[in-house]
Amino acid sequence: MHPVVKSVTDRIIERSKESRSAYLAALQEARSAKVHRSALSCGNLAHGFAACGAEDKQSLRQLNKVNIGIVTAFNDMLSAHQPYEHYPELLKAACNEVGSVAQVAGGVPAMCDGVTQGQPGMELSLLSREVIAMATAVGLSHNMFDGALLLGVCDKIVPGLLIGAMSFGHLPMLFVPAGPMRSGIPNKEKARVRQKFAEGKVDREALLEAEASSYHSAGTCTFYGTANSNQLVLEVMGLQLPGSSFVNPDDPLRTELSKMAAKQVCRLTENGLQYSPIGEIVNEKSVVNGIVALLATGGSTNLTMHIVAAARAAGIIINWDDFSELSDAVPLLARVYPNGHADINHFHAAGGMAFLMKELLDAGLIHDDVNTVAGFGLRRYTQEPRLIDGQLTWVDGPVTSLDQEVLRGVAEPFQSNGGLKLMKGNLGRAVIKVSAVQEQHRIVEAPAVVIDDQNKLDALFKAGELDRDCVVVVKGQGPKANGMPELHKLTPILGTLQDRGFKVALMTDGRMSGASGKVPAAIHLTPEALDGGLIAKVQDGDLIRINAITGELSLLVSAPELETRTAAPVELRKSRFGMGRELFGALRQNLSSPETGARCTEAIDELY
């Protein structure tokens, strides 16, 4: 093993010893040598199979066949989740083929950040993760199930499903992806049109045409944002079948992979020969594997929150120092937009997951000695699925990259360290995604332009007040203040200013996520303004230094001067949706620093 990866892993194991032991003890207590529904009364059981067909009902009455719960995030507004519409029937039939039964255990909400960007609904985005986690646990709480299939792809949905799954960690579970849409207009061209619109050089119709040509069909968006980062991390953690992340929804291979996932989870139950509960698959080593793969590919900064929260749900304590130390040691092996011109389909075609896994394993950057849904050891994941004479088969993946501009080996990486940097200084701690930021833009020292609402930047831009070097400071955007929305409306404006030759950067206690691009953005700043963070005292014109090379994040104002300042008040925003207000307020009060994993700990843990 690489010495840094081993050292960080050992540190996490030691740090988590008490909490992990408690989690595993709870997992062991929840196990059952029999099918779980055997503990139900006759009335309970009758309710549980009342709506089943005759054959499934008979199987469930006999108490000798496993029952798989399906938790689905289907809706047909969200393109990545639209393919899930007919998955329950497909998965049920596949379970029947191996003598098992499957039922839809429940549904979870799945909002699209692409639809809610810059809109009131974005304030509910991060909070939806907690709702999804609790809904997952509620769906599995009937004690009817011996395993589960989790249907989710995007942003907060996968982390929510995983956190909820950890509260039933004694059950084997597989994630069943749906795949990315096929490539449309190049992402770089889409970004160019967005900047032209921000400058007033193209009209709304031209902008809409570009967006519609990019987001054009069912499937995950093709850029390397949070959704595709989720899929990559899940596969490296051994929670999806090998090579299943990036097969398109309309590919016949996708159908066969989904059927195989259903059959495989049946084999992993207590009644099978390969009992592998998800709470044991998710351990300290698999979590480190997920982090390393994220860093090696320049993945979404959102995962710096989500992995922390999901790990903690399994009794594993990680923090941003772990991310930072690993990032210094892990080379960047992929360039997928916004870190390059390619999209996720190009990554897949260049060798994709199989090549990436081989390179990381050969270099000792990820742990091979882990359990996965495909069996013990990650070497299995250096293979990729194929349909040969109509049969699903795994073959050895490529040993060299098929496109050096998209994917490279450890011997010749795009850069020697990962795509993430921990920022520290008198302002607090933040993360910055540097994989898409060119070297000459990684150090910015400039006067602050302070706003408390992303919508205010457009007026400043149109008035010409931003035609200079500046650090845009957006405060009052943390999880406790307004739910920590993503701030992508800022991206075209900041990108335009950078293209004009100005040194610009962003600093915020809000989020920017996986689509963070060429402008340096110190985000997820903690402590947030509402929690007494120094960002609340920043004023227009204050010099701020953002050094993404050294990790310095400093407000260049003297301590005596800061002592005289009063923190600007932060508006405690409620959701602007009437029925969402109470939910929003209740969840927000349970949110903590993103570095410790903002999650409703007590509410979810109590469901175990």
Side-chain angles (χ1 to χ4, degrees):
M1 287 302 299
H2 190 288
V4 172
V5 177
K6 184 179 186 306
S7 173
V8 172
T9 304
D10 290 345
R11 185 172 69 219
I12 293 171
I13 291 172
E14 181 61 30
R15 183 194 300 146
S16 308
K17 188 176 292 183
E18 184 177 339
S19 53
R20 180 63 174 171
S21 294
Y23 175 80
L24 291 175
L27 185 153
Q28 186 65 30
E29 184 178 348
R31 283 187 64 176
S32 172
K34 302 177 181 179
V35 293
H36 284 274
R37 66 186 179 279
S38 64
L40 299 178
S41 72
C42 292
N44 298 147
L45 184 57
H47 275 84
F49 62 55
C52 290
E55 188 173 340
D56 282 352
K57 187 177 294 187
Q58 185 60 30
S59 295
L60 294 175
R61 287 172 66 103
Q62 293 175 0
L63 304 179
N64 61 0
K65 293 185 179 181
V66 300
N67 188 26
I68 303 301
I70 300 169
V71 179
T72 177
F74 162 73
N75 68 53
D76 58 11
M77 181 278 299
L78 179 49
S79 66
H81 288 204
Q82 186 273 345
Y84 284 136
E85 181 175 6
H86 301 295
Y87 271 47
E89 292 80 5
L90 179 76
L91 300 174
K92 289 178 184 181
C95 287
N96 288 162
E97 287 181 26
V98 292
S100 301
V101 181
Q103 295 177 290
V104 174
V108 301
M111 65 181 293
C112 180
D113 289 4
V115 176
T116 57
Q117 287 291 349
Q119 304 299 318
M122 192 66 208
E123 296 168 349
L124 294 175
S125 177
L126 180 58
L127 297 174
S128 74
R129 187 189 71 185
E130 320 311 320
V131 178
I132 292 163
M134 289 186 281
T136 301
V138 168
L140 296 174
S141 67
H142 296 93
N143 213 29
M144 281 286 294
F145 308 112
D146 307 294
L149 294 165
L150 306 174
L151 279 54
V153 176
C154 291
D155 298 290
K156 270 52 68 180
I157 298 139
V158 163
L161 288 168
L162 184 54
I163 292 169
M166 289 301 97
S167 64
F168 285 81
H170 60 287
L171 299 179
M173 301 190 201
L174 268 77
F175 278 82
V176 185
M181 67 179 70
R182 296 188 182 274
S183 302
I185 183 177
N187 285 294
K188 187 175 182 179
E189 173 63 13
K190 175 189 65 180
R192 186 190 70 81
V193 176
R194 284 178 175 177
Q195 285 193 194
K196 290 292 185 184
F197 180 76
E199 295 175 272
K201 295 180 178 179
V202 300
D203 61 15
R204 180 180 173 84
E205 184 59 34
L207 176 64
L208 182 57
E209 181 59 32
E211 299 286 359
S213 297
S214 177
Y215 310 116
H216 60 88
S217 66
T220 313
C221 304
T222 59
F223 66 90
Y224 191 36
T226 308
N228 287 319
S229 296
N230 282 339
Q231 299 308 300
L232 181 139
V233 168
L234 284 176
E235 186 166 331
V236 177
M237 289 180 68
L239 297 175
Q240 292 181 169
L241 292 178
S244 63
S245 294
F246 303 123
V247 177
N248 302 120
D250 58 351
D251 192 320
L253 179 59
R254 169 59 66 203
T255 300
E256 296 306 313
L257 284 167
S258 300
K259 290 161 63 176
M260 180 58 71
K263 295 174 182 178
Q264 183 65 8
V265 76
C266 297
R267 299 185 184 106
L268 301 180
T269 64
E270 192 82 66
N271 285 38
L273 300 176
Q274 311 169 46
Y275 176 61
S276 296
I278 191 172
E280 291 182 2
I281 290 177
V282 177
N283 64 14
E284 296 90 341
K285 290 183 177 180
S286 67
V287 168
V288 169
N289 286 349
I291 295 173
V292 168
L294 179 78
L295 297 169
T297 53
S300 170
T301 53
N302 268 331
L303 273 292
T304 64
M305 295 187 297
H306 298 324
I307 294 176
V308 172
R312 190 171 289 268
I316 301 165
I317 302 171
I318 60 173
N319 57 45
W320 285 353
D321 291 312
D322 302 322
F323 279 85
S324 182
E325 191 169 337
L326 290 169
S327 187
D328 287 342
V330 174
L332 184 68
L333 305 182
R335 284 215 178 277
V336 185
Y337 187 84
N339 307 324
H341 69 275
D343 66 24
I344 202 67
N345 292 311
H346 301 133
F347 167 82
H348 185 63
M353 294 303 297
F355 177 78
L356 176 69
M357 296 287 267
K358 182 181 185 303
E359 286 295 311
L360 294 176
L361 282 166
D362 289 350
L365 290 167
I366 55 177
H367 299 276
D368 185 24
D369 56 336
V370 292
N371 282 315
T372 78
V373 297
F376 185 78
L378 270 185
R379 282 286 165 187
R380 181 76 172 82
Y381 284 74
T382 64
Q383 296 183 310
E384 54 187 20
R386 290 279 186 271
L387 277 182
I388 300 176
D389 296 328
Q391 298 297 312
L392 179 60
T393 307
W394 272 266
V395 301
D396 290 339
V399 297
T400 59
S401 170
L402 303 179
D403 188 340
Q404 289 283 324
E405 292 187 7
V406 178
L407 186 60
R408 293 186 183 177
V410 171
E412 46 185 353
F414 292 103
Q415 61 187 47
S416 60
N417 48 28
L420 190 77
K421 190 76 177 178
L422 174 63
M423 306 293 289
K424 296 181 286 186
N426 61 347
L427 282 159
R429 288 157 67 91
V431 294
I432 189 167
K433 182 176 177 179
V434 295
S435 51
V437 180
Q438 295 182 15
E439 286 280 348
Q440 67 268 29
H441 299 311
R442 293 186 182 183
I443 301 175
V444 177
E445 183 177 313
V449 174
V450 182
I451 56 176
D452 60 4
D453 187 327
Q454 64 176 325
N455 295 301
K456 294 181 179 180
L457 194 69
D458 187 54
L460 295 175
F461 176 72
K462 289 177 177 177
E465 296 181 28
L466 300 179
D467 286 331
R468 54 190 171 92
D469 294 352
C470 62
V471 176
V472 174
V473 178
V474 192
K475 59 185 178 180
Q477 306 299 308
K480 290 187 177 180
N482 69 344
M484 206 179 191
E486 292 178 353
L487 306 173
H488 284 300
K489 287 186 74 171
L490 306 173
T491 302
I493 293 174
L494 296 175
T496 299
L497 294 173
Q498 188 183 80
D499 288 349
R500 290 177 179 176
F502 300 113
K503 286 186 171 292
V504 293
L506 171 71
M507 184 185 75
T508 180
D509 49 9
R511 292 186 294 133
M512 199 66 139
S513 101
S516 303
K518 62 186 183 181
V519 175
I523 58 179
H524 305 180
L525 180 67
T526 181
E528 65 175 283
L530 190 62
D531 257 357
L534 184 58
I535 187 176
K537 290 188 176 183
V538 178
Q539 297 178 359
D540 282 328
D542 287 347
L543 275 182
I544 293 175
R545 181 184 297 136
I546 294 178
N547 188 327
I549 297 174
T550 65
E552 180 186 359
L553 180 62
S554 298
L555 175 61
L556 303 179
V557 176
S558 69
E561 164 65 17
L562 291 174
E563 284 292 325
T564 67
R565 292 187 183 179
T566 301
V570 176
E571 180 187 355
L572 188 62
R573 297 183 178 94
K574 289 187 175 182
S575 167
R576 282 169 273 180
F577 293 108
M579 291 302 293
R581 288 177 181 170
E582 286 70 28
L583 168 68
F584 181 90
L587 287 176
R588 189 191 63 233
Q589 292 306 310
N590 285 291
L591 290 176
S592 61
S593 161
E595 185 172 8
T596 59
R599 57 184 293 263
C600 299
T601 309
E602 297 82 3
I604 296 166
D605 287 351
E606 284 299 317
L607 286 167
Y608 196 98

